[in-house]
Amino acid sequence: MNQPPSGQLKITEQSRVRRGRLRASYDRKLVYSIIDEALVAYLGIVVDGRPFVLPTSHWRDGDRIYWHGASNGRMTVGVDGQDVCLTLTLLDGLVLARSAFNHSVNYRSVMLFGKPERVTDPGEKARQLERFIEHIAPDRWDRLRPMNEKELKATGVMFMPIDEGSAKVRAAPPVDDEQDYDWPVWAGVLPLQSRWGQPEPCPRMTMDCCPPTPPGPWKAKV
Amino acid sequence: MNQPPSGQLKITEQSRVRRGRLRASYDRKLVYSIIDEALVAYLGIVVDGRPFVLPTSHWRDGDRIYWHGASNGRMTVGVDGQDVCLTLTLLDGLVLARSAFNHSVNYRSVMLFGKPERVTDPGEKARQLERFIEHIAPDRWDRLRPMNEKELKATGVMFMPIDEGSAKVRAAPPVDDEQDYDWPVWAGVLPLQSRWGQPEPCPRMTMDCCPPTPPGPWKAKV
């Protein structure tokens, strides 16, 4: 967003990709593009030795990933300084091969590790919430009823440096066993697409207003 | 799938929904419908005290959820008998309110807890892999090059009873502060839709074959 990213994420014992190494990448530019396109991130935490996976919305500012929640919640103070894993996946298609074994999916995913911190400065918190709204609803912040102090206090904003992690990508036709290519079955990719439907106005709208600008890379399809 | 589900999931200290209790449900029918529609599940595990969130494909057979992986992998033997959390989310739309604070998303999500077990019987493993292919590629199994013993051995199939967990659903227009409804900004829901694109045949297809039947509830849109 701010400047063209370059370089690689840190490869550690934790973030080194074990399965499907050919699909792995540590390239920041790729990682950022997946983070920016995804609308849901899955936050993995450990509570009393047990795993929890909490879905959340997220956004990015430079080399940090952010999320928010109730300021006293499990996703905010509950993970302050704790080890977490944040995973995002974009499913791009089903890969239909000649054998069951070679079926696959085309996807772009990111897995990040780190210890989140709370944004404590109120001005920075407000700035980040504006970035969040900009991410899911471009050109909207200035038209909204301004945020008040009570709302700002009730909202916790967390961030984590995008530092240790990896991306995995598959974007290819099926790869079959050499002797299977003549098998008489359709083979190929069934692409999965996301698109915005017709905006559904709130039944309590009292005036005519401009329809919203949809976010993300699917703008043209509305 | 097999028979109409009824009843509720078990509510435990772990699965009791804390935030947004009005959106929570333990209804099996709802939980199953979300599991069946979702194409990606997020498996949360703990390794050396740290959380990992691994995206995977899944399927359901009656009151059990299944996934597969390399038979010696972290997602299969690695979680045999361990505590896991499996989370799935369908994002249905963005909810644009009059204030930033009241923005939300419409979604359907499921969070399950349990200790997965390995399917050890080869016949049952083959039967479940057939169900998996049926889930992502209906009417396809019988046309494929049959699975061989080596492939069956290389594939691990895990299952977990759908027993302890919860669903959360939001499906509504924005809910604003009473004094904000007249604020001059568009408010409502921006629905997000999934659809299958045109099938992309494998460049190495050597004959004309029937195009595939796409899976899931979006069939009509192809």
Side-chain angles (χ1 to χ4, degrees):
Chain A
M1 287 184 181
N2 302 336
Q3 52 197 18
S6 64
Q8 304 273 313
L9 299 191
K10 198 160 40 172
I11 304 177
T12 64
E13 189 50 34
Q14 213 175 184
S15 71
R16 186 174 51 83
V17 174
R18 286 159 175 77
R19 294 267 158 204
R21 263 168 284 185
L22 292 177
R23 300 178 186 170
S25 167
Y26 304 89
D27 178 61
R28 278 189 184 272
K29 199 174 158 194
L30 174 66
V31 168
Y32 290 5
S33 75
I34 296 169
I35 291 172
D36 293 347
E37 184 170 334
L39 289 169
V40 183
Y42 293 80
L43 179 70
I45 63 175
V46 179
V47 179
D48 298 332
R50 288 177 164 181
F52 285 77
V53 179
L54 309 168
T56 188
S57 301
H58 65 279
W59 67 101
R60 185 176 69 81
D61 188 8
D63 56 6
R64 291 176 170 182
I65 189 165
Y66 288 79
W67 62 93
H68 83 313
S71 57
N72 59 348
R74 193 152 63 167
M75 301 197 53
T76 54
V77 285
V79 296
D80 195 358
Q82 305 291 312
D83 281 308
V84 308
C85 174
L86 202 67
T87 297
L88 316 88
T89 304
L90 299 164
L91 182 63
D92 292 325
L94 301 176
V95 180
L96 307 180
R98 283 87 171 169
S99 62
F101 192 76
N102 284 319
H103 276 62
S104 188
V105 290
N106 280 342
Y107 64 93
R108 290 165 288 154
S109 77
V110 162
M111 196 178 290
L112 299 172
F113 300 95
K115 293 179 198 286
E117 293 174 47
R118 259 188 296 176
V119 176
T120 49
D121 177 69
E124 171 62 5
K125 200 156 88 168
R127 200 179 74 83
Q128 287 302 335
L129 290 170
E130 180 176 345
R131 284 191 73 91
F132 178 34
I133 291 289
E134 185 63 25
H135 178 59
I136 61 156
D139 310 322
R140 188 168 173 83
W141 180 264
D142 289 338
R143 298 182 198 171
L144 297 175
R145 189 267 290 153
M147 190 160 56
N148 61 42
E149 209 166 313
K150 193 181 150 200
E151 292 171 338
L152 192 60
K153 268 195 186 157
T155 308
V157 174
M158 306 299 297
F159 73 91
M160 197 166 84
I162 302 170
D163 187 19
E164 184 184 357
S166 61
K168 269 179 102 173
V169 174
R170 190 193 192 283
V175 177
D176 273 292
D177 294 1
E178 201 49 47
Q179 64 271 25
D180 288 342
Y181 279 98
D182 288 331
W183 195 270
V185 65
W186 190 93
V189 173
L190 200 55
L192 184 62
Q193 300 165 347
S194 293
R195 64 164 195 181
W196 299 108
Q198 279 300 319
E200 298 164 359
C202 176
R204 291 191 59 182
M205 285 260 281
T206 55
M207 65 203 80
D208 265 356
C209 293
C210 296
T213 311
W218 319 302
K219 283 178 194 179
K221 288 179 202 152
V222 172
Chain B
M1 287 186 183
N2 302 337
Q3 51 196 19
S6 63
Q8 304 274 312
L9 299 190
K10 197 160 43 172
I11 304 177
T12 64
E13 189 50 34
Q14 215 175 182
S15 71
R16 186 174 52 82
V17 174
R18 287 158 174 80
R19 295 266 158 207
R21 263 168 284 186
L22 291 177
R23 298 178 187 170
S25 167
Y26 304 89
D27 179 60
R28 277 190 185 271
K29 200 174 158 193
L30 175 67
V31 168
Y32 290 5
S33 74
I34 296 169
I35 291 172
D36 293 346
E37 184 170 335
L39 289 169
V40 183
Y42 293 80
L43 180 70
I45 63 175
V46 179
V47 179
D48 298 332
R50 288 176 162 180
F52 285 78
V53 179
L54 310 168
T56 188
S57 300
H58 66 278
W59 67 101
R60 184 175 69 81
D61 187 7
D63 55 5
R64 292 175 169 183
I65 189 164
Y66 289 79
W67 62 94
H68 83 311
S71 57
N72 60 348
R74 193 152 62 167
M75 301 198 52
T76 54
V77 285
V79 297
D80 194 359
Q82 305 291 311
D83 281 308
V84 307
C85 173
L86 202 66
T87 297
L88 316 89
T89 304
L90 300 164
L91 183 63
D92 292 323
L94 301 176
V95 181
L96 308 180
R98 283 85 172 172
S99 62
F101 191 76
N102 285 319
H103 276 62
S104 187
V105 290
N106 280 343
Y107 64 93
R108 289 165 289 153
S109 77
V110 161
M111 196 178 291
L112 298 172
F113 301 95
K115 294 181 198 287
E117 293 174 47
R118 258 187 297 176
V119 176
T120 48
D121 177 69
E124 171 64 6
K125 200 155 88 169
R127 202 180 71 85
Q128 287 302 334
L129 291 170
E130 180 176 345
R131 284 192 71 92
F132 178 34
I133 292 289
E134 185 64 26
H135 176 61
I136 62 157
D139 310 322
R140 189 167 174 82
W141 180 264
D142 289 338
R143 299 182 197 171
L144 297 174
R145 189 266 292 151
M147 190 160 56
N148 61 42
E149 208 167 314
K150 194 181 151 201
E151 292 170 337
L152 192 60
K153 268 196 184 155
T155 308
V157 174
M158 306 300 296
F159 73 91
M160 197 166 84
I162 303 171
D163 187 20
E164 183 184 356
S166 60
K168 269 178 102 172
V169 173
R170 191 195 192 282
V175 177
D176 273 292
D177 294 359
E178 201 49 48
Q179 65 271 25
D180 287 342
Y181 279 98
D182 288 333
W183 195 270
V185 65
W186 190 93
V189 172
L190 200 56
L192 185 62
Q193 300 165 348
S194 293
R195 64 165 194 182
W196 298 109
Q198 277 301 319
E200 298 163 358
C202 175
R204 290 191 60 182
M205 285 260 281
T206 56
M207 64 204 80
D208 266 353
C209 292
C210 296
T213 311
W218 320 302
K219 284 179 193 177
K221 288 179 200 152
V222 171

